[in-house]
């Protein structure tokens, strides 16, 4: 870090030209490298253009084109840069709001030189925190948390929460080239990226297992952490994840309450407080991946071919409730229109979380699990269902769930519906539909985020996403967003869209497993059309939402 | 000697402006930023402020003519205005802005109208004073450089 903090690259965003001029001068006097911007949207574009172009962002709270807090959240989500807010208004409530949205500092105008001189500390702090996390990580390959000492680049990829194909070296390299180049973080502060815990399918599964084992009512971060026994995972990681999980579950419960077709969920703790802007993070680093799934589904998810484990006829019935394909229940029908109407994804880039399907009768799942190959298509579903199973009697639509790598999974999935659904799919002609449904889910996961304001929409969304981690994420973020949606206009975040189902690369598992296109049924096209419709409409150039636990 | 006297005058005037509450410490901060790279930095900033704030005042005037008053919009305008005024240390202007915002919060139309007149007044006064100040400063010239012709 030669000369640090000199040369610190600062982006200043303020609509006031006088202040821009002054701040620019002040920062230059600190020997910082200054870029000014008078519009928040321009600033975001600049930031997105080159993720590592800046070290820190200073932004005013009040701006005409975008609320400063929103910008703050976006930057925190997408780029994870430290953001300093400034305002002439120093009211406690505003400062608090800034902190809540993730500001690392809040400066009052008029700003003094000495205050600006010290902003480098925020950059530095982030860096050393990242280093700490890295150093504490187990450098062995760990399920879902593959941390290498090679550098943050690898680590960061692996830990990305989005459903990026983390195990795809190709993707990783892309990201590397894109994001980090060949900067050595030890020399270049700008290259030091935050190391976040990525809740991959595997990791989440472990988490869920732990939670179920302890008992949802008695669960606590420490217990979960101990049970999970993942080196390098901190209590804070778990606590944050647990919080989201709870929100997700409570969201599901509310959904199910309003939708009697679905089973009820046990009421979980629900806190509607604002999450720090990290919730449902969008990581710009992941954008390269076709992985809107914030749940960090790894590459284990593969395209589901027709090979689906067999399930029994009666098991199929279990799925009925959530598979849109089956028409035995109204709920299913609901799914389809829901899919169509789906156009509200929680903002903050939260991809639809997977709804966990919860049911208790999937036992055959286990047997098939061992078949790695065939399972690769199902594990996500299984996993989803599994972790929700114990606590809720959820029968959520079987959507494409992120598929946890089945490499030596020891978890005992008790998720039955998933498997049931899967097998049912293969067995019955509805398998295609099931897959389709799953695919739909995935598509949902990719749906662009929009202000989720209408409860109906939310409900629809939720229903369709219920079995995805993303959904979970979206729920939690939604809960937050719903509380602020009225006041804010959460920026649209379009998830990467595949354009069409067929376009999804086979080796890229964003979230769910995709069924072979040849199995597309009417329903699928029906749903897809709906999805595409919404999707395309809401697509913008934003990136995927990625959920990460940032510590 | 002449130059020295002039520069002293400039100092006096500045101090007077501060003592009288027209300007606050921020103005001094601006002066500290002035250097060889930007020898007229303060004057430039002040000019920018007056240009921008005049535009803002037109908007506020227009908003004040509406009926009924949109207080939240007015508050937003005034917040911007206040922020801008804080950039050069326009203390009295800033204070009137705060008062205006209070009236906005109360939904007091008369209070708003009255206060805005005050804002405009202070704004105009400050402008004149700073014009004189910079004229004087230009005459006095930079401390090291040779004095410039008027």
């Amino acid at each position: 870090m030669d000369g640090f903090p000199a040369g610190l690259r600062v982006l200043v965003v303020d609509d006031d030209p006088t202040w821009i001029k002054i701040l620019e001068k002040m920062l230059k006097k600190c020997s910082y490298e200054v870029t000014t911007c008078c519009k928040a949207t321009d600033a975001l574009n600049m930031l997105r253009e080159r993720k590592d172009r800046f070290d820190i962002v200073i932004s005013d709270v009040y701006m005409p084109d975008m609320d400063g807090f929103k910008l703050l959240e976006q930057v925190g989500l997408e780029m994870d840069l430290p953001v300093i807010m400034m305002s002439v208004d120093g009211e406690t409530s505003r400062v608090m709001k800034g902190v809540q949205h993730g500001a690392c500092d809040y400066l009052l105008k008029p700003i003094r030189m000495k205050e600006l001189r010290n902003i480098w500390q925020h950059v530095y702090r982030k860096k050393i925190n990242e280093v700490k996390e890295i150093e504490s990580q187990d450098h062995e390959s760990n399920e879902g948390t593959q941390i290498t000492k090679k550098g943050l680049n690898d680590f960061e990829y692996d830990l990305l929460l989005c459903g990026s194909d983390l195990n795809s070296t190709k993707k990783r390299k892309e990201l590397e080239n894109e994001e980090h180049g060949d900067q050595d973080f030890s020399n270049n502060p700008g290259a030091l990226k935050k190391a976040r815990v990525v809740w991959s399918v595997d990791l989440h599964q472990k988490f869920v297992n732990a939670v179920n084992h302890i008992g949802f009512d008695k669960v606590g971060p420490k217990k979960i952490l101990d049970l999970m026994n993942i080196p390098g995972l901190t209590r804070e990681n778990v606590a944050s994840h647990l919080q989201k999980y709870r929100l997700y579950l409570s969201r599901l419960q509310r959904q199910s309450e309003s939708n009697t077709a679905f089973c009820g969920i046990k009421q979980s703790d629900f806190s509607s407080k604002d999450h720090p802007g990290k919730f449902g993070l969008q990581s710009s680093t992941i954008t390269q991946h076709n992985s809107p799934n914030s749940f960090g589904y790894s590459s284990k998810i593969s395209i589901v071919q027709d090979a689906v484990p067999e399930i029994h006829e009666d098991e199929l019935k279990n799925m009925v409730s959530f598979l849109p394909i089956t028409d035995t229940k109204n709920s299913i029908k609901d799914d389809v229109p829901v899919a169509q109407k789906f156009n509200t994804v929680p903002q903050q880039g939260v991809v639809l979380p997977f709804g966990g399907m919860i049911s208790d009768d999937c036992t055959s799942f286990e047997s098939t699990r061992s078949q790695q190959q065939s399972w690769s298509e199902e594990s996500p579903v299984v996993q989803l269902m599994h972790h929700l199973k114990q606590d809720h009697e959820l029968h959520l639509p079987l959507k494409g769930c992120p598929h946890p790598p089945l490499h030596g999974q020891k978890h005992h999935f008790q998720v039955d519906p998933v498997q049931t659904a899967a097998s049912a799919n293969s067995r019955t002609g509805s398998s295609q539909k099931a897959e389709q449904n799953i695919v739909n889910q995935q598509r949902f996961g990719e749906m662009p985020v929009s202000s989720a304001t209408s409860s109906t929409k939310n409900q629809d969304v939720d229903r369709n996403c219920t079995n995805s981690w993303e959904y979970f994420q979206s729920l939690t973020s939604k809960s937050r967003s719903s509380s602020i949606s009225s006041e804010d206009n959460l920026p649209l975040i379009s998830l990467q869209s595949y354009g069409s189902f067929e376009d999804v690369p086979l080796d890229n598992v964003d979230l769910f497993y995709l069924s072979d296109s040849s199995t597309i049924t009417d329903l699928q096209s029906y749903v897809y059309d709906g999805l595409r419709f919404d999707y395309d409409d809401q697509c913008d150039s934003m990136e995927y939402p990625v959920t990460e636990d940032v510590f | 000697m002449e130059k020295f006297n002039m520069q002293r005058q400039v100092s006096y005037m500045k101090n007077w402006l501060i003592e009288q509450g027209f300007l606050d410490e921020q103005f001094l901060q601006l002066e500290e930023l002035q250097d060889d790279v930007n020898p007229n930095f303060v004057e430039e900033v002040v000019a920018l402020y007056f240009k921008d704030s005049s535009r803002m005042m037109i908007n506020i005037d227009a908003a004040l003519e509406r009926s009924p008053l949109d207080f939240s919009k007015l508050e937003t305008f005034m917040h911007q205005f206040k922020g801008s005024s804080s950039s050069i240390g326009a203390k009295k202007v800033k204070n009137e802005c705060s008062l205006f915002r209070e009236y906005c919060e109360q939904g007091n139309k008369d209070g708003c109208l009255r206060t805005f007149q005050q804002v405009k007044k202070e704004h105009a006064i400050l402008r004149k004073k700073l014009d004189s100040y910079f004229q004087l400063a230009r005459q006095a010239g930079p401390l090291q450089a040779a004095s410039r012709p008027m």
Side-chain angles (χ1 to χ4, degrees):
Chain A
M1 293 187 182
D2 295 331
F4 184 79
L8 197 73
R9 298 160 306 166
V10 186
L11 174 66
V12 183
V13 191
D14 196 331
D15 65 317
D16 187 327
T18 318
W19 269 115
I20 285 275
K21 188 178 169 85
I22 296 174
L23 288 168
E24 186 180 30
K25 183 71 185 171
M26 286 170 93
L27 291 165
K28 281 191 171 149
K29 280 237 164 186
C30 298
S31 308
Y32 295 155
E33 208 182 280
V34 190
T35 309
T36 62
C37 202
C38 56
K39 288 182 76 181
T41 43
D42 290 346
L44 268 178
N45 289 338
M46 261 196 267
L47 286 162
R48 286 182 181 136
E49 227 175 278
R50 256 190 68 195
K51 305 281 161 33
D52 60 345
R53 192 178 157 192
F54 300 104
D55 297 310
I56 190 166
V57 179
I58 304 182
S59 169
D60 190 83
V61 168
Y62 285 92
M63 281 185 291
D65 65 330
M66 187 193 286
D67 182 25
F69 293 122
K70 264 180 229 143
L71 174 67
L72 161 61
E73 273 176 352
Q74 282 307 113
V75 174
L77 286 171
E78 289 185 41
M79 296 103 200
D80 192 35
L81 288 174
V83 181
I84 295 177
M85 301 303 289
M86 5 168 233
S87 180
V88 69
D89 179 0
E91 266 167 55
T92 308
S93 59
R94 297 234 65 99
V95 178
M96 199 175 293
K97 193 171 177 190
V99 175
Q100 281 172 344
H101 284 71
C104 58
D105 206 351
Y106 193 111
L107 302 178
L108 291 192
K109 286 176 170 175
I111 300 178
R112 295 282 166 265
M113 268 295 286
K114 59 186 181 217
E115 291 175 289
L116 286 186
R117 273 196 206 282
N118 280 341
I119 62 172
W120 61 265
Q121 64 177 283
H122 304 293
V123 179
Y124 187 64
R125 186 179 299 117
K126 256 188 152 74
K127 290 194 170 83
I128 57 178
N129 284 342
E130 290 171 27
V131 175
K132 271 188 207 158
E133 273 194 52
I134 292 178
E135 283 171 356
S136 70
Q137 299 285 353
D138 178 12
H139 291 279
E140 299 282 331
S141 168
N142 206 346
E143 291 169 37
T145 57
Q146 296 171 26
I147 302 131
T148 66
K149 204 147 197 176
K150 240 186 343 174
L152 283 181
N153 300 347
D154 294 322
F155 176 72
E156 184 167 7
Y157 298 139
D158 291 333
L159 295 194
L160 289 177
L161 245 188
C162 76
S164 61
D165 183 357
L166 294 177
N167 291 324
S168 156
T169 43
K170 170 174 173 281
K171 284 278 156 56
R172 181 177 305 166
K173 285 193 163 61
E174 275 178 14
L175 276 184
E176 276 178 348
N177 296 337
E178 199 96 18
E179 294 277 329
H180 310 283
D182 38 23
Q183 290 174 333
D184 177 355
F185 74 81
S186 60
N187 289 335
N188 185 347
L192 196 63
K193 299 292 181 186
K194 171 178 288 280
R196 300 176 219 96
V197 172
V198 173
W199 285 90
S200 71
V201 166
D202 264 353
L203 199 58
H204 180 73
Q205 189 51 58
K206 279 197 160 144
F207 168 83
V208 172
N209 292 343
V211 169
N212 294 336
H213 185 81
I214 297 167
F216 192 75
D217 287 338
K218 305 189 225 84
V219 82
K222 184 75 174 70
K223 287 183 191 169
I224 299 174
L225 184 67
D226 290 341
L227 217 60
M228 284 175 75
N229 191 29
I230 303 272
L233 193 65
T234 70
R235 194 202 146 277
E236 287 74 27
N237 299 144
V238 175
S240 155
H241 195 72
L242 177 63
Q243 185 180 59
K244 293 179 193 173
Y245 186 57
R246 282 199 172 118
L247 286 171
Y248 159 61
L249 293 178
S250 69
R251 193 57 170 245
L252 287 176
Q253 178 172 19
R254 283 191 279 114
Q255 294 302 331
S256 64
E257 277 166 7
S258 51
N259 175 15
T260 52
F262 290 81
C263 60
I265 303 174
K266 194 162 67 177
Q267 191 87 40
S268 346
D269 302 334
F270 181 71
S271 80
S272 56
K273 66 168 165 60
D274 271 1
H275 285 265
K278 303 301 180 193
F279 189 79
L281 294 177
Q282 279 192 341
S283 168
S284 53
T285 62
I286 313 174
T287 59
Q288 307 312 319
H289 296 265
N290 299 328
S291 44
N293 188 336
S294 56
F295 184 53
Y297 290 139
S298 67
S299 56
K300 304 307 192 296
I301 304 174
S302 56
I303 303 292
V304 169
Q305 304 303 319
D306 287 329
V308 176
E310 294 241 318
I311 56 175
H312 300 298
E313 193 70 51
D314 52 339
E315 286 174 334
L316 176 59
K317 295 203 185 107
N318 291 329
M319 294 175 6
V320 165
S321 61
F322 27 80
L323 286 180
I325 48 176
T326 55
D327 50 10
T328 52
K329 289 202 181 157
N330 292 336
S331 59
I332 293 175
K333 291 200 179 104
D334 289 341
D335 287 334
V336 174
V338 167
Q340 265 192 329
K341 288 181 258 172
F342 181 73
N343 61 354
T344 59
V345 177
Q347 302 159 13
Q348 309 316 322
V350 172
V351 188
L352 299 179
F354 62 91
M357 286 194 263
I358 311 221
S359 86
D360 306 288
D361 43 354
C362 251
T363 49
S364 46
F365 179 76
E366 292 256 62
S367 54
T368 43
R369 260 199 343 130
S370 51
Q371 303 164 32
Q372 184 114 20
Q373 185 109 36
S374 59
W375 267 125
S376 59
E377 303 144 321
E378 304 212 356
S379 39
V381 175
V382 176
Q383 192 176 56
L384 288 172
M385 298 176 66
H386 170 71
H387 78 270
L388 287 177
K389 179 223 161 184
Q390 269 191 358
D391 306 311
H392 319 277
E393 316 282 10
L394 265 189
H395 292 287
L396 302 169
L398 181 73
K399 314 284 180 176
C401 313
H403 163 74
L406 283 183
H407 43 263
Q409 278 265 0
K410 281 68 170 186
H411 306 301
H412 276 269
F413 289 85
Q414 290 159 12
V415 183
D416 303 315
V418 177
Q419 180 185 13
T420 304
S423 6
N425 287 346
S426 60
R427 287 185 73 252
T428 65
S430 58
S431 61
Q432 297 173 351
K433 291 180 184 163
E435 288 170 345
Q436 177 181 6
N437 184 18
I438 291 167
V439 180
N440 294 341
Q441 268 311 319
Q442 178 169 9
R443 291 298 299 275
F444 271 141
E446 300 158 22
M447 291 300 270
V449 180
S450 60
S451 306
T453 49
S454 96
S455 56
T456 341
K457 281 180 184 174
N458 288 345
Q459 180 176 29
D460 287 345
V461 172
D462 291 349
R463 261 190 285 156
N464 279 306
C465 319
T466 46
N467 64 347
S468 69
W469 171 239
E470 292 169 347
Y471 181 55
F472 167 35
Q473 300 292 357
S474 75
L475 283 184
T476 44
S477 80
K478 214 188 293 182
S479 62
R480 177 172 61 95
S481 63
S482 54
S483 63
I484 60 179
S485 58
S486 51
E487 34 165 327
D488 301 353
N489 244 344
L490 295 183
L492 269 180
I493 299 166
S494 66
L495 308 178
Q496 180 169 11
S497 66
Y498 293 114
S500 69
F501 177 58
E502 291 74 21
D503 291 345
V504 180
L506 288 185
D507 62 338
N508 180 9
V509 189
D510 296 285
L511 315 166
F512 317 92
Y513 58 104
L514 306 172
S515 62
D516 185 278
S517 53
S518 62
T519 65
I520 292 179
T521 63
D522 289 343
L523 181 64
Q524 178 181 43
S525 49
Y526 168 61
V527 173
Y528 271 90
D529 285 341
L531 287 174
R532 262 194 291 266
F533 169 76
D534 291 327
Y535 183 58
D536 291 340
D537 271 359
Q538 298 174 24
C539 256
D540 64 13
S541 58
M542 290 172 132
E543 285 132 6
Y544 287 133
V546 176
T547 315
E548 314 177 69
D549 289 334
V550 181
F551 295 94
Chain B
M1 216 52 204
E2 181 62 30
K3 193 158 83 100
F4 177 71
N5 283 338
M6 291 195 86
Q7 279 165 2
R8 218 161 34 154
Q9 270 184 305
V10 172
S11 279
Y12 285 159
M13 185 173 184
K14 183 170 63 186
N15 290 337
W16 182 83
L17 284 170
I18 293 175
E19 277 168 33
Q20 295 296 309
F22 289 101
L23 293 174
D24 61 27
E25 199 205 64
Q26 175 65 11
F27 192 81
L28 297 175
Q29 289 270 316
L30 291 186
E31 294 211 319
E32 276 174 36
L33 288 176
Q34 190 157 292
D35 55 15
D36 292 340
V37 180
N38 298 90
N40 301 311
F41 182 71
V42 188
E43 193 174 353
E44 285 165 13
V45 172
V46 169
L48 195 53
Y49 163 72
F50 279 110
K51 181 171 139 200
D52 198 46
S53 55
S54 301
R55 179 187 58 81
M56 276 193 245
M57 290 201 298
I58 293 173
N59 290 341
I60 298 176
D61 261 331
L64 281 171
E65 275 167 31
R66 294 220 175 86
S67 193
L69 286 190
D70 182 351
F71 286 109
S72 86
K73 196 167 181 99
L74 281 172
E75 220 182 317
T76 308
F77 278 148
M78 194 43 82
H79 179 95
Q80 271 181 291
F81 192 86
K82 184 179 171 190
S84 207
S85 304
S86 72
S87 71
I88 66 161
K91 193 168 170 186
K92 288 199 180 191
V93 177
K94 228 175 42 160
N95 292 342
E96 295 297 335
C97 290
S98 298
L99 201 55
F100 183 93
R101 286 186 80 200
E102 275 176 35
Y103 283 123
C104 276
E105 275 166 35
Q106 297 164 17
N108 185 335
K109 178 171 180 171
D110 281 338
C112 285
L113 290 170
R114 266 187 292 118
T115 313
F116 190 59
Q117 295 311 310
Q118 280 299 110
V119 169
K120 285 201 275 192
K121 191 172 131 192
E122 292 296 341
H123 186 262
I125 292 173
L126 182 65
R127 187 177 214 154
K128 260 167 100 176
K129 299 229 180 286
L130 284 175
D131 276 347
S132 309
Y133 172 78
F134 285 118
Q135 214 174 25
L136 196 63
R138 260 181 271 126
Q139 283 174 14
L143 287 168
Q144 294 84 10
S147 55
R148 287 176 356 204
M150 283 201 346

